[in-house]
Amino acid sequence: MNRLVVVSNRVPTATAGAPAGGLAVALDGLMEKRGGLWFGWSGAVAASSGGICVRHDGGVDYATIDLTQDEHDRYYNNFANGVLWPLLHTMPELMQFDRRDARVYREVNARMAGALLPLLRPTDLVWVHDYHLLPLAAALRARGVSNPIGFFLHVPFASADVLAAAPEVGALVRDMLAADLLGFQTENDLANFAAAAELFAEARRLPGNALEVGHRRVRLGVFPVEIDPHGFADLASAMARSPEAMRLRRSLHGQHLILGVERLDPTKGLLQRLGGLRALFEQSPKWLRRATMLQIAATSRKDVASYRALRDSLDREAGKLNADLAEADWQPLRFVSRAVNRALVAGYLRHARVGLVTPLRDGMNLVAKEFVAAQDPTDPGVLVLSRFAGAAQQLTGALTINPHDAHEMADALDRALAMPLAERCERWQACWAAIENRSPLVWGRSFVAALLRATTISAVPDLPLRANDQAKPPTIGTDMVLVEPRHLPIMLPDVVNLN
Ligand code: F6P
């Protein structure tokens, strides 16, 4: 089996374990099962850029580098999270562009490519993740790496006219095209990327989700990130009986729980959500004292100005909501900004009557899928979900809403809180059916299989992959060679696991 080399900004560390968030959930299981090399940032900031630290755990080698303070500020805080994150989430008004940050972002990517180079073997499959590393494939190619390279974007890809707001982005789109396969969460993200590639890189669309760029062909694909639904369901059912979860349940005194869980992030629509909650109690006062909301919004990226500003606004709004509506022995909102561990969140989700997941824009949103998996199938809660979350494409049993419309959110909350058991079960079944046979492992394997296909027989779109399909460079039409002849030896196990 070809060794898998995953490259991501965050890497699980010996002390802190897996980092929070969707990327870790998606990759942890795959790497545990398959083994390989996981390369990226150690999570530490050091006085000077030192060497690589390698740690072996299970079947995985974790190789990490530290960032200097300047790199952390400019690459991670200012450019990745201060420019690319808002831009890709179609919130360009939050972006603070500075050319020096863009330069350091590129330098860190180049340094990562240089550090990874000596660790690579000729038959490795390289899989790069997320917006921190958009130019990494190009930086590897510039150093002579001819291995198959796949790239997966965990966040949305905005439309080309939004992206044009950051001067650097055209060049980044061109760099992304150095990969052989580019994966996205939804069809919409893929279409936005293809349009940006046409605009910024003079790429030409080919049938079957491919782009022709110069004499090369780059494949595009949609690979929605998944959770382990059965594992999460078991966890939720066990943790719902934990002392902490039982304490939450007792504190409700029979009221319905509306639950929101995320990082405190401008894309999550937290202020709008408080507006929706206020509208619920104002429009439908029957829920006063009969429902309450717990919002867990774990503090995140607090060195980025827009995150600090959001925290201040949320503190103000949450305080005002409670001050306006609370009574001596009841309050509409409990607001927690401490991170709560994932197992306990699973238990809380099972006790919730409503899962309120209303991002203004989100690549996928795994909390939406976790809410579904955590429910008791005989008495499930209802998911109220933003139509701008990638998960809305799959979870068709949810009540989908526009997160900018407080009244629509309030109507959906009212409907969810009052929903009869039969309809709750029917909606939950539809959501469960969309996730029950999927897993991070299946997701990862399908990406790896597509990467192998893209680099071995990439000019023949739907031909089934065979072990000996390595022979000659593929062509389209009569004599136009569309891919570089990078034909690595394929080891069969990857090929047969095409699920
Ligand atoms: O794709 C977005 C992501 O990388 C997720 O894995 C996670 O939700 C989050 O961002 C982590 O952010 P950070 O690494 O900045 O803490």
Side-chain angles (χ1 to χ4, degrees):
M1 194 162 54
N2 303 89
R3 184 175 71 151
L4 182 61
V5 176
V6 160
V7 191
S8 61
N9 177 60
R10 296 261 187 198
V11 174
T13 60
T15 43
L23 189 146
V25 171
L27 283 173
D28 246 9
L30 174 71
M31 288 307 270
E32 232 169 65
K33 284 255 165 29
R34 183 186 164 119
L37 173 66
W38 194 336
F39 176 86
W41 174 40
S42 64
V45 174
S48 63
S49 44
I52 307 177
C53 167
V54 182
R55 175 174 62 89
H56 187 80
D57 194 355
V60 185
D61 289 315
Y62 297 92
T64 52
I65 59 168
D66 296 341
L67 294 179
T68 65
Q69 188 63 56
D70 189 54
E71 288 174 337
H72 185 257
D73 291 347
R74 292 187 183 278
Y75 149 80
Y76 174 75
N77 282 333
N78 298 359
F79 198 74
N81 291 324
V83 173
L84 293 178
W85 178 270
L87 204 60
L88 291 166
H89 286 86
T90 313
M91 301 177 85
E93 67 282 2
L94 295 182
M95 158 187 115
Q96 293 196 321
F97 182 81
D98 181 326
R99 229 182 242 181
R100 288 164 301 177
D101 299 330
R103 183 171 47 74
V104 175
Y105 172 84
R106 282 193 166 280
E107 285 168 3
V108 170
N109 271 268
R111 187 154 85 77
M112 288 206 182
L116 178 59
L117 195 62
L119 305 178
L120 288 180
R121 301 174 190 155
T123 56
D124 283 347
L125 302 172
V126 181
W127 188 5
V128 181
H129 290 261
D130 233 358
Y131 61 101
H132 311 87
L133 303 176
L134 299 182
L136 192 80
L140 287 169
R141 295 283 185 237
R143 284 160 181 75
V145 172
S146 61
N147 299 52
I149 301 182
F151 175 87
F152 184 78
L153 187 67
H154 292 254
V155 300
F157 198 88
S159 67
D161 53 342
V162 171
L163 294 178
E168 179 67 17
V169 167
L172 290 177
V173 168
R174 289 193 287 279
D175 283 351
M176 288 170 75
L177 291 163
D180 299 292
L181 170 67
L182 292 157
F184 301 90
Q185 299 272 23
T186 66
E187 292 290 348
N188 189 42
D189 300 322
L190 184 152
N192 282 345
F193 179 81
E198 286 175 314
L199 184 70
F200 297 120
E202 291 172 10
R204 191 169 68 85
R205 271 200 98 154
L206 299 172
N209 277 340
L211 291 170
E212 184 190 348
V213 194
H215 67 286
R216 294 180 56 244
R217 183 156 81 156
V218 177
R219 290 300 207 126
L220 309 179
V222 174
F223 303 87
V225 170
E226 302 295 345
I227 61 163
D228 166 11
H230 300 281
F232 200 83
D234 292 345
L235 181 68
S237 140
M239 286 305 291
R241 296 188 294 272
S242 67
E244 296 91 333
M246 288 311 294
R247 227 168 40 231
L248 169 65
R249 192 187 168 91
R250 277 196 302 275
S251 76
L252 295 171
H253 299 294
Q255 297 171 90
H256 288 319
L257 176 66
I258 304 169
L259 182 56
V261 185
E262 44 256 302
R263 286 181 307 103
L264 197 152
D265 191 292
T267 62
K268 302 295 181 187
L270 289 159
L271 283 170
Q272 290 79 354
R273 195 173 305 171
L274 297 191
L277 188 66
R278 178 184 287 273
L280 168 74
F281 290 119
E282 285 172 358
Q283 268 173 223
S284 309
K286 63 174 188 255
W287 296 117
L288 292 165
R289 306 184 67 89
R290 291 178 55 208
T292 188
M293 172 152 177
L294 168 61
Q295 175 63 58
I296 299 172
T299 304
S300 157
R301 301 176 188 168
K302 50 185 188 306
D303 297 331
V304 181
S306 55
Y307 288 71
R308 284 198 306 270
L310 175 63
R311 173 68 201 263
D312 291 346
S313 310
L314 277 170
D315 285 351
R316 239 189 346 266
E317 282 311 307
K320 195 159 153 26
L321 180 71
N322 274 336
D324 290 347
L325 297 179
E327 294 167 24
D329 58 349
W330 176 80
Q331 62 182 54
L333 175 69
R334 306 166 184 196
F335 196 91
V336 175
S337 66
R338 261 182 308 108
V340 176
N341 95 34
R342 191 160 171 264
L344 187 52
V345 166
Y348 289 171
L349 287 170
R350 196 171 172 98
H351 288 301
R353 167 54 65 92
V354 181
L356 190 53
V357 183
T358 59
L360 305 180
R361 191 75 57 164
D362 214 331
M364 176 50 58
N365 199 302
L366 294 184
V367 174
K369 293 183 175 180
E370 288 174 345
F371 176 78
V372 172
Q375 297 312 298
D376 173 354
T378 64
D379 185 18
V382 181
L383 178 62
V384 175
L385 179 61
S386 162
R387 69 176 58 125
F388 301 120
Q393 306 299 314
Q394 290 171 276
L395 303 177
T396 51
L399 295 178
T400 43
I401 53 116
N402 173 359
H404 299 278
D405 183 343
H407 298 287
E408 192 182 328
M409 201 186 304
D411 289 344
L413 283 170
D414 183 27
R415 190 169 160 202
L417 288 166
M419 193 177 283
L421 179 63
E423 186 182 349
R424 280 191 278 129
C425 289
E426 200 178 305
R427 287 181 170 277
W428 178 81
Q429 275 298 345
C431 290
W432 176 247
I435 62 169
E436 72 170 322
N437 296 319
R438 301 181 181 220
S439 72
L441 202 60
V442 171
W443 169 79
R445 281 177 174 164
S446 67
F447 186 94
V448 169
L451 177 58
L452 280 167
R453 272 201 298 272
T455 48
T456 52
I457 51 167
S458 52
V460 190
D462 294 310
L463 203 71
L465 197 60
R466 294 191 308 270
N468 292 331
D469 273 329
Q470 318 161 21
K472 59 182 168 66
T475 58
I476 269 198
T478 47
D479 57 1
M480 191 181 15
V481 177
L482 288 178
V483 289
E484 290 155 351
R486 284 196 303 273
H487 299 295
L488 84 168
I490 294 173
M491 286 81 167
L492 261 177
D494 261 327
V495 181
V496 292
N497 280 328
L498 286 180
N499 42 359

